[in-house]
Amino acid sequence: MPKLVAALKCLAAMAVFCLPFLLAGPAAAAPSKAETEAQFKTWLDRDLWPEAKAKGVSRTVFDKAFSGVTLNWKLPDLVPPGTRPKTPKKQAQAEFGSPGKYFNAKTMGAVTRGGQARHSQYGGLLKRIDKQYGVPGAIVLAIWGRESGFGAVKIPYDAFEVLGTKAFMATRKEMFRGQLLAALEIVQKNYIDTGSMKSSWAGAMGQPQFMPTSYLEHAVDFDGDGKRDIWNSVPDTLASIANYLRLHGWQRGRDWGFEVIVPAGLTCALEGPDQGLKIADWARMGITRVNGKPFPANELAGEGYLLMPAGRHGPAFIATPNFYVLKDYNMSDLYALFIGHVGDRIAYGAGDFKGAWGNVGTMYRSDIAAMQRALQAKGYDVGKADGLPGFKTRRSIGDWQARHGQAATCFPEKSMIGAIR
């Protein structure tokens, strides 16, 4: 009898649990594109407008910015109302190869030649910018060339269409909402008109590819016409790039770094911006410049950092704090190295890297991530176990190799797959 009572209670509980789902009927279909467009217009008026108004944006500016703007369904990472984010494709089979692939000879050559031509064309302008912001013209030109092909790359999108779409239904809506409000602030303050607000598919604007918040902080009017025009004005574009670097800590009079030779007996595990030494100390440890020249006298007392993007399989560098200012522009060691190296080519006619980018073999990111997790389990700080070997992963690998009687290369090796236990 108790078993029967218990069974009846169980059935009753199941009925109570299931009843709401039975009454609810089939799941509602996601709204159509036309319905979503209508929701977008409502969202602009009832959600975004009150916040824009509170930030000082006029209704005239708001309406002009969104006049004719519709959702751009071709943009990536969209999550329309009534749908769920798509499950990201697994990175298990994504490949990771030599960092040397980043330094495509054709791209580097084009930026170098274009920079050298413009170094002569805008020599006076670059000197004035260097005097005011303390950033060498060759570095500014390298960024300009890398970001927009010296202004030749077409920037096709309406910034309000891109940012509006992403603020309404992207995977990072809140981030893009902040950028959209900043874009409205730009036109409210008459820095530029709405018709000139062209961006990339990600919302980066103008020839320096600033996001709107970065524009507000860094863009300057260097040609004196009352506009901060990073779309059409070369003086505004170049000065804005220099101002960005200055505000991020560029040290006037210092280089970005030097390609060096690291003695075989010196561990590559000394790499990283958290293991800085005076450049004079690196020299005393036997590190020399590849061109045979001594480190500049004005650099010897300054801090420097060992940088080995491919471990012992590629060139090595002593980077200065200015290298990490360049990294702030794009959050990539390889980007910063590209800019610094091409800057040297533009300014001094420097040649290619002296150290060769070795063929480390292509590996799956999942294999590298497994190495990282195994090292973490042993107490190593590898940064993120994301399958990308940053400096913390590289030096952890070097330490592990040395402790196991191997030659430290400070870079993932195919032979290490499954070996770290």
Side-chain angles (χ1 to χ4, degrees), residues 10 23-24 48 58 61 89 122 132 150 169 196 222 228 268 275 277 296 307 325 359 364 398 411 417:
C10 183
L23 293 176
L48 188 67
S58 71
V61 164
K89 292 182 180 180
Y122 298 113
Q132 181 160 339
F150 307 103
M169 59 176 189
S196 297
F222 204 73
R228 302 183 187 183
C268 48
Q275 299 192 108
L277 298 171
L307 173 71
V325 174
N359 182 14
Y364 292 131
F411 206 74
I417 296 174

Side-chain angles (χ1 to χ4, degrees), residues 33 71-81 83-86 161-173 176 201:
K33 285 188 176 182
L71 294 171
N72 187 331
W73 294 87
K74 295 181 181 180
L75 297 176
D77 303 321
L78 300 183
V79 187
T83 65
R84 293 182 179 181
K86 292 181 180 180
E161 176 189 272
V162 170
L163 297 171
T165 299
K166 287 182 170 287
F168 179 64
M169 59 176 189
T171 53
R172 294 183 293 163
K173 292 193 294 186
F176 282 107
W201 61 265

Side-chain angles (χ1 to χ4, degrees), residues 47-112:
D47 190 333
L48 188 67
W49 162 242
E51 186 173 359
K53 181 181 179 181
K55 290 181 176 292
V57 177
S58 71
R59 186 73 208 200
T60 300
V61 164
F62 189 89
D63 288 343
K64 186 177 181 181
F66 292 105
S67 176
V69 168
T70 58
L71 294 171
N72 187 331
W73 294 87
K74 295 181 181 180
L75 297 176
D77 303 321
L78 300 183
V79 187
T83 65
R84 293 182 179 181
K86 292 181 180 180
T87 302
K89 292 182 180 180
K90 291 184 178 180
Q91 293 292 329
Q93 299 307 311
E95 294 181 342
F96 178 85
S98 169
K101 293 179 180 179
Y102 188 89
F103 301 98
N104 177 278
K106 183 177 180 180
T107 302
M108 293 187 74
V111 178
T112 298

Side-chain angles (χ1 to χ4, degrees), residues 66-284:
F66 292 105
S67 176
V69 168
T70 58
L71 294 171
N72 187 331
W73 294 87
K74 295 181 181 180
L75 297 176
D77 303 321
L78 300 183
V79 187
T83 65
R84 293 182 179 181
K86 292 181 180 180
T87 302
K89 292 182 180 180
K90 291 184 178 180
Q91 293 292 329
Q93 299 307 311
E95 294 181 342
F96 178 85
S98 169
K101 293 179 180 179
Y102 188 89
F103 301 98
N104 177 278
K106 183 177 180 180
T107 302
M108 293 187 74
V111 178
T112 298
R113 290 188 297 273
Q116 288 170 338
R118 287 161 180 82
H119 200 270
S120 299
Q121 181 180 1
Y122 298 113
L125 170 64
L126 291 166
K127 287 180 181 178
R128 295 197 304 274
I129 289 172
D130 189 354
K131 182 177 180 181
Q132 181 160 339
Y133 300 105
V135 181
I139 291 292
V140 174
L141 289 170
I143 292 176
W144 186 27
R146 180 68 181 180
E147 293 297 329
S148 64
F150 307 103
V153 173
K154 187 177 180 181
I155 304 171
Y157 296 97
D158 182 304
F160 291 104
E161 176 189 272
V162 170
L163 297 171
T165 299
K166 287 182 170 287
F168 179 64
M169 59 176 189
T171 53
R172 294 183 293 163
K173 292 193 294 186
E174 289 306 312
M175 187 277 284
F176 282 107
R177 184 187 183 98
Q179 296 297 335
L180 180 56
L181 290 165
L184 289 166
E185 184 180 345
I186 289 169
V187 293
Q188 179 64 43
K189 292 183 174 180
N190 291 316
Y191 292 148
I192 201 73
D193 59 88
T194 56
S196 297
M197 293 278 282
K198 299 297 182 182
S199 77
S200 71
W201 61 265
M205 304 187 307
Q207 297 181 41
Q209 287 291 274
F210 285 168
M211 293 300 287
T213 52
S214 185
Y215 174 100
L216 287 171
E217 184 176 356
H218 305 114
V220 296
D221 170 23
F222 204 73
D223 60 13
D225 68 350
K227 303 288 185 182
R228 302 183 187 183
D229 188 356
I230 61 173
W231 291 266
N232 305 295
S233 169
V234 170
D236 290 4
T237 294
L238 299 184
S240 295
I241 292 171
N243 190 43
Y244 180 103
L245 298 178
R246 178 185 69 87
L247 292 175
H248 281 253
W250 185 273
Q251 296 182 8
R252 184 188 293 266
R254 293 206 67 183
D255 210 316
W256 67 269
F258 310 90
E259 188 180 354
V260 298
I261 299 171
V262 180
L266 189 64
T267 176
C268 48
L270 289 170
E271 183 185 7
D274 55 351
Q275 299 192 108
L277 298 171
K278 290 182 179 180
I279 289 182
D281 293 332
W282 290 115
R284 277 191 285 270

